[in-house]
Amino acid sequence: MSVYRNVKKITTHVLSEMKMKGEKITTLTVYDYTMARILDNAGIDIALVGDSAANVMAGHVTTLPVTLDEMINYASSVMRGVKRALVVVDLPFGSYQGNSKQALASAIRIMKETGASAIKVEGGEEIAESVTRILSAGIPVMGHLGLTPQSINKFGTYAVRAQDETEAQKLLADAHLLEQLGCFAIVLEKIPAALGAKVTQELKIPLIGIGAGRYVDGQVLVLHDMLGLNNEFSPRFLRRYLNLYEEITGAVQQYIHDVRTNDFPNEKEQY
Ligand code: KIV
């Protein structure tokens, strides 16, 4: 078992030590109090309040529609369930791309109104000024490179990114830039494993992968995907640990049956 399992509170400093010691960092997305409590008690290192909430909580096709107010609401619920994990909250689309002042204002709202420990933003060089400004206010920033879902309309596809040399070089340069600016970690999404390994080797800060192979410093998955709550989404990188869609369907069908047949409640289940 990892020696870090006994750490009372995960901080950005602990994560950097974990990288130095070669201890893998575990991350899952989470959007509500009940799940946050379960994940935290199970020992997850980072609880990421991802803007994938737009998809799995609200049913949108992309992550673009989720608002800053909604993210604050999800994150506040998560914070009530977490004692140990580092809680990182996504700045949603439109809340930081305008200019660095807007970016800082959005980050401050997240920190003030939720009590979370850090924010995450998508992009490299294009958002360098915003990252600098947020960091200068003492707010830890996690980067996100590779397949950045807020740019899906530019990409036009959810295919693997940075397969050609030009895009791979830009990703590497962006990763170095985010590290120099002071980001404490970077998410690498859906890129070749060899590139994930190269970035991980070259940078001192932790690289957390989702579809970025096994040579990165840690992994992240969307909670609903790894629990099998969606059965339509099956990218190669996704390992399903449960099939909750089927389990819950079975439980609900059993309940419907029990009520309809007057089996529930029975003598012992009434006052
Ligand atoms: O919003 C999200 O769930 C994310 C993860 C995919 C890293 O950013």
mmCIF file of all heavy atoms in Angstrom, residues 29 31 48 50-52 90 120 144 187 189 210 220 222, ligand 1:
data_model
loop_
_atom_site.group_PDB
_atom_site.id
_atom_site.type_symbol
_atom_site.label_atom_id
_atom_site.label_comp_id
_atom_site.label_asym_id
_atom_site.label_seq_id
_atom_site.Cartn_x
_atom_site.Cartn_y
_atom_site.Cartn_z
ATOM 1 N N THR A 29 -13.255 12.046 -11.436
ATOM 2 C CA THR A 29 -14.149 13.203 -11.431
ATOM 3 C C THR A 29 -15.270 12.919 -10.438
ATOM 4 O O THR A 29 -15.597 11.761 -10.152
ATOM 5 C CB THR A 29 -14.776 13.460 -12.815
ATOM 6 O OG1 THR A 29 -15.651 12.382 -13.129
ATOM 7 C CG2 THR A 29 -13.713 13.623 -13.880
ATOM 8 N N TYR A 31 -19.054 15.070 -8.738
ATOM 9 C CA TYR A 31 -19.886 16.271 -8.886
ATOM 10 C C TYR A 31 -20.884 16.456 -7.735
ATOM 11 O O TYR A 31 -21.649 17.410 -7.736
ATOM 12 C CB TYR A 31 -20.680 16.193 -10.205
ATOM 13 C CG TYR A 31 -19.873 15.602 -11.339
ATOM 14 C CD1 TYR A 31 -19.946 14.242 -11.650
ATOM 15 C CD2 TYR A 31 -18.989 16.397 -12.072
ATOM 16 C CE1 TYR A 31 -19.184 13.690 -12.667
ATOM 17 C CE2 TYR A 31 -18.227 15.855 -13.098
ATOM 18 C CZ TYR A 31 -18.327 14.491 -13.389
ATOM 19 O OH TYR A 31 -17.571 13.950 -14.401
ATOM 20 N N LEU A 48 -11.684 15.622 -8.894
ATOM 21 C CA LEU A 48 -11.775 16.646 -9.937
ATOM 22 C C LEU A 48 -13.245 16.938 -10.253
ATOM 23 O O LEU A 48 -13.963 16.054 -10.738
ATOM 24 C CB LEU A 48 -11.064 16.165 -11.218
ATOM 25 C CG LEU A 48 -11.249 17.058 -12.442
ATOM 26 C CD1 LEU A 48 -10.631 18.446 -12.223
ATOM 27 C CD2 LEU A 48 -10.642 16.412 -13.684
ATOM 28 N N GLY A 50 -15.050 18.090 -12.668
ATOM 29 C CA GLY A 50 -14.798 18.346 -14.087
ATOM 30 C C GLY A 50 -16.009 18.987 -14.749
ATOM 31 O O GLY A 50 -17.148 18.788 -14.316
ATOM 32 N N ASP A 51 -15.719 19.689 -15.848
ATOM 33 C CA ASP A 51 -16.851 20.243 -16.601
ATOM 34 C C ASP A 51 -17.538 19.147 -17.418
ATOM 35 O O ASP A 51 -18.532 19.399 -18.097
ATOM 36 C CB ASP A 51 -16.428 21.437 -17.471
ATOM 37 C CG ASP A 51 -15.347 21.078 -18.483
ATOM 38 O OD1 ASP A 51 -14.898 19.922 -18.507
ATOM 39 O OD2 ASP A 51 -14.954 21.974 -19.261
ATOM 40 N N SER A 52 -17.021 17.907 -17.313
ATOM 41 C CA SER A 52 -17.758 16.760 -17.854
ATOM 42 C C SER A 52 -19.095 16.623 -17.136
ATOM 43 O O SER A 52 -19.952 15.831 -17.549
ATOM 44 C CB SER A 52 -16.937 15.473 -17.716
ATOM 45 O OG SER A 52 -16.452 15.337 -16.389
ATOM 46 N N ASP A 90 -12.850 22.596 -12.506
ATOM 47 C CA ASP A 90 -12.677 23.125 -13.867
ATOM 48 C C ASP A 90 -13.264 24.520 -13.991
ATOM 49 O O ASP A 90 -14.414 24.749 -13.577
ATOM 50 C CB ASP A 90 -13.434 22.227 -14.865
ATOM 51 C CG ASP A 90 -12.535 21.227 -15.549
ATOM 52 O OD1 ASP A 90 -11.314 21.457 -15.625
ATOM 53 O OD2 ASP A 90 -13.073 20.199 -16.023
ATOM 54 N N LYS A 120 -8.703 24.162 -12.694
ATOM 55 C CA LYS A 120 -8.084 23.576 -13.900
ATOM 56 C C LYS A 120 -8.565 24.364 -15.118
ATOM 57 O O LYS A 120 -9.738 24.741 -15.188
ATOM 58 C CB LYS A 120 -8.440 22.094 -14.043
ATOM 59 C CG LYS A 120 -7.934 21.478 -15.347
ATOM 60 C CD LYS A 120 -7.951 19.963 -15.316
ATOM 61 C CE LYS A 120 -9.263 19.307 -15.671
ATOM 62 N NZ LYS A 120 -9.799 19.650 -17.005
ATOM 63 N N HIS A 144 -4.329 21.466 -18.736
ATOM 64 C CA HIS A 144 -5.006 20.357 -19.448
ATOM 65 C C HIS A 144 -4.653 20.495 -20.924
ATOM 66 O O HIS A 144 -5.004 21.492 -21.554
ATOM 67 C CB HIS A 144 -6.520 20.464 -19.200
ATOM 68 C CG HIS A 144 -7.328 19.334 -19.767
ATOM 69 N ND1 HIS A 144 -8.582 19.007 -19.279
ATOM 70 C CD2 HIS A 144 -7.100 18.450 -20.778
ATOM 71 C CE1 HIS A 144 -9.078 17.983 -19.966
ATOM 72 N NE2 HIS A 144 -8.196 17.630 -20.897
ATOM 73 N N VAL A 187 -3.138 17.731 -16.815
ATOM 74 C CA VAL A 187 -3.873 16.577 -17.353
ATOM 75 C C VAL A 187 -3.498 16.441 -18.827
ATOM 76 O O VAL A 187 -3.474 17.432 -19.560
ATOM 77 C CB VAL A 187 -5.402 16.765 -17.208
ATOM 78 C CG1 VAL A 187 -6.165 15.745 -18.053
ATOM 79 C CG2 VAL A 187 -5.836 16.669 -15.755
ATOM 80 N N GLU A 189 -4.793 14.473 -22.118
ATOM 81 C CA GLU A 189 -5.944 13.675 -22.548
ATOM 82 C C GLU A 189 -5.771 13.159 -23.967
ATOM 83 O O GLU A 189 -5.492 13.920 -24.903
ATOM 84 C CB GLU A 189 -7.227 14.530 -22.431
ATOM 85 C CG GLU A 189 -8.480 13.771 -22.868
ATOM 86 C CD GLU A 189 -9.790 14.383 -22.399
ATOM 87 O OE1 GLU A 189 -9.775 15.347 -21.610
ATOM 88 O OE2 GLU A 189 -10.848 13.879 -22.845
ATOM 89 N N ILE A 210 -5.409 10.708 -19.123
ATOM 90 C CA ILE A 210 -6.673 10.027 -19.443
ATOM 91 C C ILE A 210 -6.536 9.656 -20.914
ATOM 92 O O ILE A 210 -6.544 10.525 -21.783
ATOM 93 C CB ILE A 210 -7.928 10.875 -19.113
ATOM 94 C CG1 ILE A 210 -9.207 10.199 -19.622
ATOM 95 C CG2 ILE A 210 -7.827 12.323 -19.594
ATOM 96 C CD1 ILE A 210 -10.497 10.730 -19.016
ATOM 97 N N VAL A 220 -6.616 9.627 -14.499
ATOM 98 C CA VAL A 220 -7.935 10.162 -14.163
ATOM 99 C C VAL A 220 -8.963 9.515 -15.082
ATOM 100 O O VAL A 220 -8.668 9.226 -16.242
ATOM 101 C CB VAL A 220 -7.995 11.715 -14.294
ATOM 102 C CG1 VAL A 220 -7.528 12.221 -15.631
ATOM 103 C CG2 VAL A 220 -9.399 12.245 -13.978
ATOM 104 N N VAL A 222 -13.454 9.603 -15.818
ATOM 105 C CA VAL A 222 -14.750 10.185 -15.470
ATOM 106 C C VAL A 222 -15.511 9.120 -14.675
ATOM 107 O O VAL A 222 -15.654 7.976 -15.114
ATOM 108 C CB VAL A 222 -15.516 10.612 -16.750
ATOM 109 C CG1 VAL A 222 -16.953 10.990 -16.426
ATOM 110 C CG2 VAL A 222 -14.797 11.787 -17.424
HETATM 111 O O1 KIV B 1 -14.052 17.447 -17.137
HETATM 112 C C1 KIV B 1 -13.436 16.384 -17.009
HETATM 113 O O2 KIV B 1 -13.996 15.351 -16.655
HETATM 114 C C2 KIV B 1 -12.009 16.366 -17.281
HETATM 115 C C3 KIV B 1 -11.328 15.039 -17.265
HETATM 116 C C4 KIV B 1 -11.653 14.287 -18.481
HETATM 117 C C5 KIV B 1 -9.873 15.171 -17.076
HETATM 118 O O3 KIV B 1 -11.436 17.382 -17.533
#
